[in-house]
Amino acid sequence: MSGVEAAGGLRSARTRVTAPRLPALLGRAARGLWPGLLGLLSIGAFVGLWHVATANRLDLYIRFTNVPTPEAVAARAALAFHDPEFIQNLWVSCRRIMAGFAGAALVAVPMGLLTGRFLLLRRIVMPVMEVLRPIPAIAWVPMAIMLWPTNEESIVFITFIGSFFPILLNTLAGMAAVDPVYVRAARSLGARERNLFFEVYLPAALPQIFTGMAVGMGVAWVSLIAAEMIAGQYGIGYFTWEAYSLVQYSDIVLGMICIGVLGLLSSLLVRLAARAAMPWSRGRGGR
Amino acid sequence: MSGHIEIRNFALHYGQGAAAVAAVSDLSLHVTSGEFVSLIGPSGCGKSTVLNAVAGFMQPSYGQVTVDGQKVRGPSAELGMVFQQYSLFPWKTVRQNVEFGLKMQGMAAAARRQAARALLDVAGLLKFENHYPDQLSGGMKQRVGIVRALAPGPKVLLLDEPFGALDAQTRSIMQQVLTNMWQRRRISVLFVTHDIDEAIFLSDRVYVMTARPGSIKAEIAIPLERPRTAEVALSAEFGRLRRRVSGLIREESIRAMGGEVSAAALDGVSQHLQPAEV
């Protein structure tokens, strides 16, 4: 009985497939590749326009006369990646990001969890945070230089400040959004306060914490580059600003591209960490 | 003998002073050891409030709630609870959810893993042990919820309209599943529902509540023989019980809506409607 059904099913499937086979296959392949293809096309078009504008030294109120061509930047990049000093600049920026961002996460997450859980603590801590929060990280540069013995430390501190507030506020929001039914369920299964914290509040707030980290990572780069431009020795922000002072136009663009790529990679890392830390959210709606 | 629930002259008020609203007033009921008792009533009558007080989530304004003579002071693993909403921890797998109560008791990882797997096996859920709750259907989630509540070996099991969100077919299967688990464990059960058939099908006794502020309107013994199959709902005895309970609830629902709609008022309405209809 089931054999007959299967045979019938097979036959009808075959007749259906024969006619549109090739286009259907192509269609499926195209659907998979389409977004990637469009992405390449979009970047290609951008570089093409850049080439047209710079090679012809267009002056349309916005002046492309001094902007280097993509070819010039590529040639410069090929050299720079063999230059130890350039590699050093990239590495120093990455190191500062790691230190500042890790420090911010290590302070902001526990602080957000604790202030989110205990009202008294929230009332004591949050007023100060609310006052400090609107101050952009760049405005901290002079203060940071006064506070910290070395320039290196003040730049890391600026990066810390930049990513600290997004992580803190998102962690707090995550704590406020924990569904009380999970807390009640845990308590009726014998959980005590300490258990609630690690077994319920922390995992329940984790998606929001990672949202805060993604935002924080972006702000960390903004703050780092600004700090390096103002106060830096070494670093890709310093490199980019130096290139302007030294009239090395290709290096300006090279620096900008490196900053963009590094920012992209670091937010990718945060997303990968989120996936690893929250295996339950895989295959759910959203990401 | 354990798992004896006793509620005496229970009242619960929300708010303070003149603004206080009585949710439940002067309610007394009991569940003897190993008994399955349902609490049914019109919506808003405070039946969930009573259950939450037994679970230790609320303290009575008056009266007292005891389990085995001990006053209920707060939630504990002795008072197993199954919630109306899905309350499985989404960040834990099915097995980790079931293990949770045992973990809180300090059981070692290997032992609780084994215990959780044994429980899941009995409930026919073993092949889903490594699934996350989001990957389960509503019926399976509530099944895991019941297993999780039973895992730490509570004295009583409290269920707050646990099958309310399920379709009729799943619901009837879940009722059978719950009955089987209860008979295996012989644990005392207090079950809150607004479904009359469900209350009669599952229970040894049914308490019908009045409209808000809720108290007990009637206590009805369900003498249907066990084991009960789905066919029992077609019996004359079941029909008689259903009519009785539904009559009581209807009275209270009408009272909750502010009394019977007067026939004279309805006449007026129909007269107004007639010209428009023609």
Side-chain angles (χ1 to χ4, degrees), chain B residues 144-199:
Chain B
V144 178
I146 295 169
V147 173
R148 180 178 72 171
L150 289 173
K155 288 178 173 178
V156 303
L157 185 63
L158 311 164
L159 302 102
D160 187 3
E161 302 196 31
F163 310 143
L166 305 179
D167 62 84
Q169 199 57 46
T170 312
R171 195 175 177 125
S172 123
I173 293 166
M174 290 298 295
Q175 289 163 1
Q176 204 71 61
V177 167
L178 177 62
T179 307
N180 291 344
M181 288 196 202
W182 165 70
Q183 280 180 328
R184 196 180 281 267
R185 290 259 180 159
R186 276 289 158 189
I187 187 176
S188 316
V189 174
L190 184 56
F191 188 94
V192 161
T193 180
H194 61 255
D195 186 312
I196 296 164
D197 283 24
E198 182 168 82

Side-chain angles (χ1 to χ4, degrees), chain A residues 181-182 184-191 195 199-200 203-204 279-280 284, chain B residues 52 57 75-77 83 88-92 100-101 103-104 132 134 148:
Chain A
V181 79
Y182 298 138
R184 300 205 310 159
R187 279 161 60 84
S188 75
L189 290 164
N195 308 127
E199 300 276 357
V200 178
W280 66 89
R284 241 200 213 178
Chain B
N52 277 317
F57 293 121
S76 82
F83 297 86
L88 296 182
F89 306 125
W91 50 87
K92 288 181 184 288
F100 187 81
K103 190 177 179 181
M104 294 302 106
Y132 284 101
D134 276 8
R148 180 178 72 171

